[in-house]
Amino acid sequence: MLLAGIGSKLILFNVKSNGIVPAGLFNTGFLICGLATLKNYVLVCDAHRGIVLIKWSERTFHFFSQCAATSSAFACEFLVDQHAALHFVLAEEGKRLRVFGYSKDEAEARGGAA
């Protein structure tokens, strides 16, 4: 599988013997400036709207979580610590790195928000 962020669209392609075939499409509503993947999760960052966590399952994308409390995101990446907790690393303007934790079950996560 091949994942591409083109403008505001997130497109998943399958590689077949006869070429590359589109398998899924997700319109983010913002200009994608960074992508990171971990299994079937996709972390998307935007220069103005922060980071969005999207999940790929059963031939479709599902919006999972969003953190809009960021500014001018340039790159993003997943980080899994020794306790298998999921975190997101975000590179912002001014040479800043921010680390966000994700926990769907914690009360302060507001039902899955990063």
Side-chain angles (χ1 to χ4, degrees):
M1 295 190 142
L2 173 69
L3 182 67
I6 303 169
S8 65
K9 293 180 177 70
L10 188 63
I11 306 170
L12 185 68
F13 296 95
N14 273 332
V15 180
K16 304 272 184 167
S17 60
N18 59 345
I20 298 174
V21 180
L25 174 72
F26 186 82
N27 190 356
T28 61
F30 56 79
L31 186 62
I32 298 170
C33 68
L35 291 174
T37 60
L38 179 68
K39 294 189 178 187
N40 59 337
Y41 294 96
V42 180
L43 188 60
V44 183
C45 68
D46 170 57
H48 301 289
R49 295 194 184 176
I51 56 176
V52 175
L53 182 63
I54 300 167
K55 183 178 180 182
W56 169 258
S57 65
E58 298 180 23
R59 303 182 53 140
T60 187
F61 286 105
H62 300 279
F63 175 83
F64 222 60
S65 180
Q66 179 176 6
C67 181
T70 61
S71 64
S72 299
F74 297 122
C76 55
E77 190 58 69
F78 285 101
L79 178 67
V80 180
D81 66 12
Q82 69 269 20
H83 304 292
L86 182 62
H87 304 281
F88 316 125
V89 180
L90 183 66
E92 296 181 320
E93 71 175 330
K95 301 178 185 177
R96 290 188 307 257
L97 288 177
R98 293 180 74 176
V99 179
F100 298 92
Y102 178 80
S103 177
K104 185 176 173 182
D105 301 324
E106 296 292 328
E108 62 269 8
R110 298 177 305 277

